[in-house]
Each structure stands twice: as C-alpha cells, then as structure tokens.
Amino acid sequence: MTSRQPAPLLLAPVVLALAAAFPGAAAAQSNEDLLKELRALKDKVAELEKKLEAKPATAAAAGERQWGMTPEQVAELNRVAVKAEALEDGRDAAGMKLLKISGYMDPTFFYNRAQDRAGFQFLNRVADDGYNYDNSYFGAAVIDFQKETDSGTKWRLTLAPNRGVGSVFDGTSPVHEASVSVPLGDLQTRFIAGQIPDWSGYEYLQPTLNKLITHNLLFDFTLPTAYTGAGIELTRGKWIVKGVLANVNAAKKSSSNKTPALAYRVDYSKGEFQGFGFAGMHGKVANFRALDDTTADGVGVNPVTSLPYSTRDTMAHLFEVDAYFIRGDVTWQGQLSYGTQKKAAVTADPVTGELRDSQWIGLSTLFAYKWMPRFETTARFDYLRNQKNGGGLLGYTGADGRNGIGPDAAGDAEKGANRMALTAGASYLWDLNTTFKAEYRLDRANLPVFEYVKDGLFKKSNQIFGASVLVSF
C-alpha cells in the first residue's frame, strides 16, 4: 500500500523547475515561501474559474431583459396578443379564413359603323340583342368570391349581372361561375363540379386577363359558353388535365335529351416562358337550325315535305390546340380550331329540304409588345373558313348580317362566307388597379354579308372602334 507523500515532496519537481529557470531566486527563497506563492496562484485560478462559470447565467439573465420593456409595455403587449387571438377566432367563426374577394368593372365606349351606333356599353342585357362580336363580355361589373377550407376544398362563386355566361345561355342568371373543387387523397387530384365557363383557346373571358377589348373570331363563334356537370382535375408536374361530363350551354337538359357531353382540356408548361394546350368537346348540343319561331311548338318544318324536323339537340365535335410564348416585353399566342355539328348548316338540302352538317376551321394569332412597363400595343389576326353548306357555326345556324355569317343573299346559297378580322389595340396601366384600353378592328368576308342598317345594303367589311377603362381589385 502506497502512502501519500507530503505536499512539499509533491511540489519538489515544480521547485526544481523554478530553480533551474531562476537559479538566483531559488537560492534566495525557502520552500515555505514557494508554497505560499503557489497557494496564492491556485486561489487566483479558482477565482477566475468561478467568474467564468457565472458569465452564462449572467448573459441569460441579461437576455431575458434585452428588450428593455417596462412592466406597462409588457402588459400592453399581452393585451394586443389577446386581441389578435380574438380577431382570429372571430374570423374563423365567420368563415372568413382563406376567403378571397376580388372584382372588376370596365365601362366601354363602342362605335360600330355597319350598325350605325356609337355610345357606352355597360351592364346591358345580352338577352336583349344576343351575343355578338360587338356585344360579348366587356362592359361588365363582376364580383368574385373564392373560399378554401382547411382540408383543401375550394369553393367559387362569380357574379356578373347581364354580362356573364349565365346571361348568355339562360338570359336572366347573374351567375357566371359556381363551382367546387374537392381534393381526392391529395391536392393534385380533385373532383370538380358546378357551372364552369369554357376553358378552350388562348384567350380568357375576363377583360383583366385580355390585352384587347373584343375577343377573337374563334372565341366568339366556335367555342362553348359553359359546362354544367362534374369531372376530375389532375396536376402532375408540368401537366394539368381536366375533364367533365356535362350539359353544354344549358343548366339542365331539355325533354328527350339525356346524353351528356364530354369536355376536356390539357395544359403543359414547357418552361418559364412557353407552353401549349388543347381542348375538345364531344356530345349533343342545342341545334338552333331546327327551331322555327313561326310554328306553334317552335320546331322547324321541312319546306319540301312540310314535316317537322326530328330533333333540337344534335352531335357536335370541337377540337382546338393553342400555344404561347411570353418573355420580357414580348407576348405571342396562337390557336387552331376545328368543329362540326350535325344538321346545323345554314342551307338545307335544295332537293330534299333536309338539314345538313355544318363544318368550320379557323386560326387566331396575337402579338403584343411593351414599349415601356406601363404601355403595351397588341395586334391580332383571325381567320375562319366557313363555307360548307352555306356556313354555320356553334350556335349560329342562320344567315347573320350583324356578325357576317352565312351565304350572300343575292349569290350562291350553297357557299357561306369565310371571315377575317384584323385588330390593333393599345393599353396603358395608369396604376396597379386601373388600365385604359383602346382598339380598332376591321372585319372582312369574301362575300357581302355585313348589313349596313342605315341603308339596308350588304358589304364585305365593317369597322368598329372601342375604348374602355378597366378597374379591378
């Protein structure tokens, strides 16, 4: 068993080291003096260690008081926190959480040479004189409500009195869109249902998303107005696919019509600046060629056999492809469309009097350039080939002197007019919520199908001018 050595013996090496380093000092000092100095040094080290250990606690205490708030300020902060929590609870209880409200209005001035009229258009009823290229969705006041629940379900109600899709196919409905979107398992797979405006083409219905005032010929005359039905929407990476089984341009099916139509759209975003999409619709839609206001039941009568036509809804097939390139100050958009509808041509068979199929093909392209961040100019060209069986487009199944559809009244009834439109416009962003727009448009046809109401003559062209102020929030 080893006994402990006394302290002097333990310090011997230290003493020897000091003596070697300072031989003069070692000789002058005794062992007792060295021990005193070492004890003093040890006490000093212990004191320093205690100070180091106390610093974190001191820093923490200082951190708690680093705001330098007085007790009154702390109490006020607590009151603000309680009020904020109460406001959040009240918002959630009232259903205001994740609720977005937006809207716009665009009073519009319009001049139409052939129609011999000039003046403002705002909130006028579409049902009064029908949907025409000089009386589409501009001149509206719209409010849009969008709500998303915590589960991811989306609810949307858009009201557009006299100017929405409901006014176009119903005549009196102020509802432009009423739709729901319910996630199925994940937010990228959704069930959709309700009244949904048509999604075909590169142009949007809302003036807030369009560079010009009027729409292109394909938008106005070859695409459905809205769908009432249900379907699926899928988002997979750069692809968005949606489709519905629905009524086309009708809130409910009429008697003896039970077959829904299939409508779909596919979009692909190739990158940040470009992409493409295509859309189609296949199914039975209203055939206005079979209607006749002179008969008691409104069903058209074959002029050869004097028998009523058998149906009002007939099969239609529509398909279009569109693309875009938007980068910096440059915007390009384009669209190609094809369509046909059974027994919906303007001209019946000259021998049997039976109705014949309508068919059309068209293109539209738009180019815009921003000369400065607030000022942009736009040019658009449209062409619509529609001469088969006297012409005829979706919902336009008779000679139409206002829109330039159908055959020349004094020419060959078998050939409809091919239509063209060239539009130039400018827009100026006054502030973040206000845009001023101006537009000049030249419509032409290869036949004299535009009626000039002032003298009753028919010509091959017409000119219109429009200006609007668009205010949105």
Side-chain angles (χ1 to χ4, degrees):
M1 182 174 179
T2 304
S3 62
R4 296 183 59 185
Q5 295 180 351
L9 294 178
L10 292 173
L11 294 173
V14 178
V15 174
L16 291 174
L18 291 173
F22 307 101
Q29 290 180 326
S30 65
N31 288 340
E32 186 177 352
D33 294 333
L34 288 173
L35 288 173
K36 288 180 181 180
E37 290 181 4
L38 289 173
R39 290 191 188 100
L41 180 61
K42 183 178 178 181
D43 294 339
K44 190 66 176 179
V45 171
E47 182 183 353
L48 291 174
E49 288 178 347
K50 289 180 180 180
K51 289 183 178 180
L52 289 174
E53 291 175 356
K55 277 190 174 182
T58 304
E64 293 176 359
R65 301 190 301 270
Q66 62 183 346
W67 292 350
M69 297 179 65
T70 65
E72 292 77 10
Q73 291 173 329
V74 172
E76 181 62 24
L77 178 61
N78 291 335
R79 283 194 292 268
V80 171
V82 171
K83 288 181 180 179
E85 291 178 358
L87 288 173
E88 290 180 355
D89 293 341
R91 178 203 63 186
D92 296 348
M96 302 296 288
K97 183 179 180 181
L98 297 178
L99 174 65
K100 178 183 178 183
I101 302 176
S102 60
Y104 67 85
M105 60 176 62
D106 62 331
T108 303
F109 177 88
F110 224 78
Y111 164 76
N112 188 321
R113 184 182 178 188
Q115 292 296 304
D116 193 32
R117 68 178 180 88
F120 285 93
Q121 291 183 214
F122 188 57
L123 295 177
N124 56 300
R125 295 181 70 243
V126 177
D128 289 343
D129 64 345
Y131 182 95
N132 304 278
Y133 76 94
D134 64 338
N135 182 41
S136 59
Y137 295 108
F138 51 82
V142 176
I143 188 165
D144 181 46
F145 303 90
Q146 297 184 56
K147 166 74 175 179
E148 183 174 353
T149 66
D150 292 334
S151 63
T153 296
K154 297 179 180 180
W155 179 95
R156 185 169 192 173
L157 176 64
T158 308
L159 303 179
N162 294 336
R163 311 304 297 152
V165 299
S167 300
V168 172
F169 68 76
D170 180 83
T172 59
S173 173
V175 177
H176 174 71
E177 179 174 351
S179 63
V180 293
S181 174
V182 182
L184 301 177
D186 58 74
L187 298 179
Q188 286 71 46
T189 304
R190 292 179 169 273
F191 170 79
I192 56 177
Q195 177 179 298
I196 305 170
D198 176 62
W199 46 47
S200 306
Y202 72 83
E203 276 193 346
Y204 292 92
L205 184 149
Q206 304 94 316
T208 53
L209 301 176
N210 282 339
K211 299 181 180 299
L212 296 168
I213 299 175
T214 63
H215 289 92
N216 64 60
L217 291 176
L218 308 185
F219 181 99
D220 285 331
F221 302 129
T222 72
L223 303 180
T225 300
Y227 310 111
T228 302
I232 296 293
E233 178 177 338
L234 306 174
T235 302
R236 298 292 185 270
K238 297 181 178 181
W239 293 89
I240 300 177
V241 181
K242 49 191 174 186
V244 292
L245 291 175
N247 308 335
V248 179
N249 301 346
K252 71 170 186 176
K253 281 286 189 179
S254 58
S255 179
S256 301
N257 291 299
K258 302 179 288 294
T259 306
L262 170 65
Y264 54 88
R265 178 165 182 90
V266 177
D267 285 288
Y268 176 75
S269 298
K270 184 178 181 181
E272 181 181 355
F273 309 109
Q274 56 189 316
F276 69 87
F278 61 87
M281 191 284 297
H282 310 279
K284 290 185 176 182
V285 299
N287 183 351
F288 298 103
R289 182 64 177 89
L291 301 180
D292 187 349
D293 293 337
T294 63
T295 61
D297 59 1
V299 179
V301 175
N302 186 320
V304 176
T305 63
S306 298
L307 297 175
Y309 293 121
S310 59
T311 183
R312 296 187 184 186
D313 285 11
T314 57
M315 181 64 71
H317 297 283
L318 312 176
F319 184 80
E320 65 86 16
V321 59
D322 52 81
Y324 68 89
F325 177 85
I326 302 173
R327 185 168 188 175
D329 299 326
V330 176
T331 297
W332 173 84
Q333 296 169 304
Q335 176 183 349
L336 293 171
S337 290
Y338 168 82
T340 181
Q341 185 175 2
K342 191 173 182 63
K343 297 183 178 181
V346 173
T347 304
D349 187 287
V351 177
T352 65
E354 288 295 322
L355 300 180
R356 297 184 293 181
D357 299 347
S358 61
Q359 182 179 336
W360 61 86
I361 186 171
L363 66 87
S364 176
T365 185
L366 178 149
F367 180 83
Y369 185 79
K370 285 187 177 181
W371 300 92
M372 57 183 68
R374 292 176 179 266
F375 180 70
E376 185 175 34
T377 57
T378 304
R380 183 182 65 205
F381 175 76
D382 311 322
Y383 179 77
L384 191 55
R385 184 175 178 84
N386 182 39
Q387 63 181 13
K388 183 177 181 180
N389 297 331
L393 299 164
L394 188 65
Y396 296 84
T397 52
D400 187 339
R402 182 170 176 176
N403 293 301
I405 298 171
D408 175 7
D412 186 357
E414 290 291 293
K415 291 186 178 181
N418 295 325
R419 286 276 276 108
M420 179 271 290
L422 180 62
T423 309
S427 63
Y428 183 77
L429 182 65
W430 181 259
D431 57 38
L432 292 177
N433 303 98
T434 307
T435 302
F436 292 98
K437 295 183 180 181
E439 173 184 316
Y440 168 79
R441 173 167 169 164
L442 172 65
D443 282 84
R444 288 190 59 84
N446 64 330
L447 300 173
V449 289
F450 291 101
E451 181 182 8
Y452 280 67
V453 297
K454 190 173 183 179
D455 53 22
L457 298 178
F458 285 83
K459 300 181 181 181
K460 292 184 177 181
S461 65
N462 183 35
Q463 301 178 67
I464 60 176
F465 171 80
S468 71
V469 54
L470 173 63
V471 181
S472 61
F473 67 91

